[in-house]
PDB file of all heavy atoms in Angstrom:
ATOM      1  N   GLY B 696     -96.013  -5.633  11.211  1.00 92.00           N
ATOM      2  CA  GLY B 696     -95.451  -6.937  11.565  1.00 92.00           C
ATOM      3  C   GLY B 696     -94.784  -7.641  10.393  1.00 92.00           C
ATOM      4  O   GLY B 696     -94.754  -8.869  10.321  1.00 92.00           O
ATOM      5  N   ILE B 697     -94.238  -6.856   9.450  1.00 90.00           N
ATOM      6  CA  ILE B 697     -93.557  -7.445   8.291  1.00 90.00           C
ATOM      7  C   ILE B 697     -92.125  -7.805   8.700  1.00 90.00           C
ATOM      8  O   ILE B 697     -91.367  -6.949   9.156  1.00 90.00           O
ATOM      9  CB  ILE B 697     -93.544  -6.442   7.114  1.00 90.00           C
ATOM     10  CG1 ILE B 697     -94.977  -6.142   6.683  1.00 90.00           C
ATOM     11  CG2 ILE B 697     -92.712  -6.977   5.942  1.00 90.00           C
ATOM     12  CD1 ILE B 697     -95.113  -4.945   5.758  1.00 90.00           C
ATOM     13  N   ARG B 698     -91.774  -9.060   8.552  1.00 88.00           N
ATOM     14  CA  ARG B 698     -90.435  -9.502   8.953  1.00 88.00           C
ATOM     15  C   ARG B 698     -89.441  -9.268   7.826  1.00 88.00           C
ATOM     16  O   ARG B 698     -89.713  -9.568   6.676  1.00 88.00           O
ATOM     17  CB  ARG B 698     -90.450 -10.992   9.283  1.00 88.00           C
ATOM     18  CG  ARG B 698     -91.235 -11.237  10.541  1.00 88.00           C
ATOM     19  CD  ARG B 698     -90.973 -12.616  11.059  1.00 88.00           C
ATOM     20  NE  ARG B 698     -91.865 -12.842  12.183  1.00 88.00           N
ATOM     21  CZ  ARG B 698     -91.725 -13.814  13.053  1.00 88.00           C
ATOM     22  NH1 ARG B 698     -90.729 -14.661  12.919  1.00 88.00           N
ATOM     23  NH2 ARG B 698     -92.572 -13.951  14.037  1.00 88.00           N
ATOM     24  N   MET B 699     -88.297  -8.721   8.193  1.00 85.00           N
ATOM     25  CA  MET B 699     -87.255  -8.495   7.189  1.00 85.00           C
ATOM     26  C   MET B 699     -85.979  -9.151   7.680  1.00 85.00           C
ATOM     27  O   MET B 699     -85.741  -9.226   8.882  1.00 85.00           O
ATOM     28  CB  MET B 699     -87.036  -6.992   7.019  1.00 85.00           C
ATOM     29  CG  MET B 699     -88.294  -6.276   6.540  1.00 85.00           C
ATOM     30  SD  MET B 699     -88.030  -4.503   6.468  1.00 85.00           S
ATOM     31  CE  MET B 699     -86.996  -4.420   4.997  1.00 85.00           C
ATOM     32  N   GLU B 700     -85.163  -9.598   6.741  1.00 84.00           N
ATOM     33  CA  GLU B 700     -83.896 -10.218   7.131  1.00 84.00           C
ATOM     34  C   GLU B 700     -83.064  -9.231   7.936  1.00 84.00           C
ATOM     35  O   GLU B 700     -82.544  -9.552   8.991  1.00 84.00           O
ATOM     36  CB  GLU B 700     -83.123 -10.655   5.878  1.00 84.00           C
ATOM     37  CG  GLU B 700     -83.468 -12.081   5.447  1.00 84.00           C
ATOM     38  CD  GLU B 700     -82.648 -12.511   4.262  1.00 84.00           C
ATOM     39  OE1 GLU B 700     -81.412 -12.381   4.319  1.00 84.00           O
ATOM     40  OE2 GLU B 700     -83.256 -12.949   3.262  1.00 84.00           O
ATOM     41  N   ALA B 701     -82.929  -8.006   7.410  1.00 85.00           N
ATOM     42  CA  ALA B 701     -82.209  -6.965   8.138  1.00 85.00           C
ATOM     43  C   ALA B 701     -83.197  -5.833   8.408  1.00 85.00           C
ATOM     44  O   ALA B 701     -83.471  -5.027   7.528  1.00 85.00           O
ATOM     45  CB  ALA B 701     -81.042  -6.444   7.303  1.00 85.00           C
ATOM     46  N   PRO B 702     -83.784  -5.793   9.627  1.00 88.00           N
ATOM     47  CA  PRO B 702     -84.792  -4.775   9.911  1.00 88.00           C
ATOM     48  C   PRO B 702     -84.231  -3.356   9.728  1.00 88.00           C
ATOM     49  O   PRO B 702     -83.079  -3.101  10.082  1.00 88.00           O
ATOM     50  CB  PRO B 702     -85.160  -5.022  11.372  1.00 88.00           C
ATOM     51  CG  PRO B 702     -84.696  -6.402  11.678  1.00 88.00           C
ATOM     52  CD  PRO B 702     -83.518  -6.644  10.794  1.00 88.00           C
ATOM     53  N   VAL B 703     -85.050  -2.488   9.158  1.00 95.00           N
ATOM     54  CA  VAL B 703     -84.649  -1.096   8.952  1.00 95.00           C
ATOM     55  C   VAL B 703     -84.932  -0.309  10.223  1.00 95.00           C
ATOM     56  O   VAL B 703     -85.999  -0.449  10.817  1.00 95.00           O
ATOM     57  CB  VAL B 703     -85.425  -0.477   7.772  1.00 95.00           C
ATOM     58  CG1 VAL B 703     -85.078   0.997   7.619  1.00 95.00           C
ATOM     59  CG2 VAL B 703     -85.140  -1.232   6.485  1.00 95.00           C
ATOM     60  N   GLU B 704     -83.967   0.498  10.647  1.00 97.00           N
ATOM     61  CA  GLU B 704     -84.168   1.364  11.810  1.00 97.00           C
ATOM     62  C   GLU B 704     -84.511   2.777  11.368  1.00 97.00           C
ATOM     63  O   GLU B 704     -84.026   3.247  10.328  1.00 97.00           O
ATOM     64  CB  GLU B 704     -82.889   1.421  12.644  1.00 97.00           C
ATOM     65  CG  GLU B 704     -82.554   0.111  13.311  1.00 97.00           C
ATOM     66  CD  GLU B 704     -81.777   0.309  14.605  1.00 97.00           C
ATOM     67  OE1 GLU B 704     -81.092   1.341  14.725  1.00 97.00           O
ATOM     68  OE2 GLU B 704     -81.879  -0.559  15.492  1.00 97.00           O
ATOM     69  N   SER B 705     -85.331   3.456  12.167  1.00 98.00           N
ATOM     70  CA  SER B 705     -85.585   4.876  11.918  1.00 98.00           C
ATOM     71  C   SER B 705     -84.275   5.660  11.961  1.00 98.00           C
ATOM     72  O   SER B 705     -83.374   5.326  12.734  1.00 98.00           O
ATOM     73  CB  SER B 705     -86.533   5.435  12.972  1.00 98.00           C
ATOM     74  OG  SER B 705     -86.550   6.840  12.902  1.00 98.00           O
ATOM     75  N   ASP B 706     -84.186   6.698  11.149  1.00 98.00           N
ATOM     76  CA  ASP B 706     -82.987   7.542  11.137  1.00 98.00           C
ATOM     77  C   ASP B 706     -83.065   8.694  12.144  1.00 98.00           C
ATOM     78  O   ASP B 706     -82.135   9.509  12.251  1.00 98.00           O
ATOM     79  CB  ASP B 706     -82.728   8.100   9.731  1.00 98.00           C
ATOM     80  CG  ASP B 706     -83.914   8.867   9.169  1.00 98.00           C
ATOM     81  OD1 ASP B 706     -84.998   8.846   9.796  1.00 98.00           O
ATOM     82  OD2 ASP B 706     -83.767   9.475   8.097  1.00 98.00           O
ATOM     83  N   CYS B 707     -84.165   8.733  12.872  1.00 98.00           N
ATOM     84  CA  CYS B 707     -84.448   9.731  13.911  1.00 98.00           C
ATOM     85  C   CYS B 707     -83.193  10.252  14.649  1.00 98.00           C
ATOM     86  O   CYS B 707     -82.571   9.527  15.414  1.00 98.00           O
ATOM     87  CB  CYS B 707     -85.392   9.046  14.892  1.00 98.00           C
ATOM     88  SG  CYS B 707     -86.046  10.053  16.179  1.00 98.00           S
ATOM     89  N   ALA B 708     -82.819  11.493  14.412  1.00 98.00           N
ATOM     90  CA  ALA B 708     -81.610  12.058  15.032  1.00 98.00           C
ATOM     91  C   ALA B 708     -81.687  13.583  15.014  1.00 98.00           C
ATOM     92  O   ALA B 708     -82.329  14.169  14.138  1.00 98.00           O
ATOM     93  CB  ALA B 708     -80.366  11.604  14.269  1.00 98.00           C
ATOM     94  N   PRO B 709     -81.027  14.226  15.969  1.00 98.00           N
ATOM     95  CA  PRO B 709     -81.014  15.697  15.993  1.00 98.00           C
ATOM     96  C   PRO B 709     -79.935  16.225  15.042  1.00 98.00           C
ATOM     97  O   PRO B 709     -78.770  15.835  15.146  1.00 98.00           O
ATOM     98  CB  PRO B 709     -80.667  16.024  17.450  1.00 98.00           C
ATOM     99  CG  PRO B 709     -79.970  14.819  17.989  1.00 98.00           C
ATOM    100  CD  PRO B 709     -80.350  13.632  17.142  1.00 98.00           C
ATOM    101  N   LEU B 710     -80.325  17.131  14.157  1.00 98.00           N
ATOM    102  CA  LEU B 710     -79.441  17.560  13.069  1.00 98.00           C
ATOM    103  C   LEU B 710     -78.784  18.916  13.307  1.00 98.00           C
ATOM    104  O   LEU B 710     -78.227  19.504  12.375  1.00 98.00           O
ATOM    105  CB  LEU B 710     -80.239  17.610  11.757  1.00 98.00           C
ATOM    106  CG  LEU B 710     -80.797  16.266  11.277  1.00 98.00           C
ATOM    107  CD1 LEU B 710     -81.729  16.468  10.096  1.00 98.00           C
ATOM    108  CD2 LEU B 710     -79.651  15.329  10.908  1.00 98.00           C
ATOM    109  N   HIS B 711     -78.851  19.425  14.554  1.00 98.00           N
ATOM    110  CA  HIS B 711     -78.338  20.782  14.789  1.00 98.00           C
ATOM    111  C   HIS B 711     -76.850  20.897  14.498  1.00 98.00           C
ATOM    112  O   HIS B 711     -76.404  21.894  13.946  1.00 98.00           O
ATOM    113  CB  HIS B 711     -78.625  21.183  16.236  1.00 98.00           C
ATOM    114  CG  HIS B 711     -77.983  20.262  17.215  1.00 98.00           C
ATOM    115  ND1 HIS B 711     -78.397  18.959  17.362  1.00 98.00           N
ATOM    116  CD2 HIS B 711     -76.946  20.434  18.052  1.00 98.00           C
ATOM    117  CE1 HIS B 711     -77.639  18.379  18.258  1.00 98.00           C
ATOM    118  NE2 HIS B 711     -76.756  19.247  18.697  1.00 98.00           N
ATOM    119  N   SER B 712     -76.058  19.846  14.836  1.00 98.00           N
ATOM    120  CA  SER B 712     -74.607  19.982  14.623  1.00 98.00           C
ATOM    121  C   SER B 712     -74.290  19.886  13.135  1.00 98.00           C
ATOM    122  O   SER B 712     -73.415  20.596  12.627  1.00 98.00           O
ATOM    123  CB  SER B 712     -73.828  18.940  15.428  1.00 98.00           C
ATOM    124  OG  SER B 712     -73.925  17.660  14.820  1.00 98.00           O
ATOM    125  N   LEU B 713     -75.013  19.047  12.425  1.00 98.00           N
ATOM    126  CA  LEU B 713     -74.811  18.946  10.970  1.00 98.00           C
ATOM    127  C   LEU B 713     -75.134  20.281  10.298  1.00 98.00           C
ATOM    128  O   LEU B 713     -74.352  20.791   9.484  1.00 98.00           O
ATOM    129  CB  LEU B 713     -75.691  17.829  10.399  1.00 98.00           C
ATOM    130  CG  LEU B 713     -75.594  17.618   8.890  1.00 98.00           C
ATOM    131  CD1 LEU B 713     -74.204  17.143   8.490  1.00 98.00           C
ATOM    132  CD2 LEU B 713     -76.658  16.629   8.403  1.00 98.00           C
TER     133      LEU B 713
END
Side-chain angles (χ1 to χ4, degrees):
Chain B
I697 297 167
R698 291 194 186 195
M699 299 176 74
E700 270 183 52
V703 176
E704 292 209 334
S705 168
D706 56 352
C707 186
L710 297 172
H711 60 292
S712 76
L713 179 65

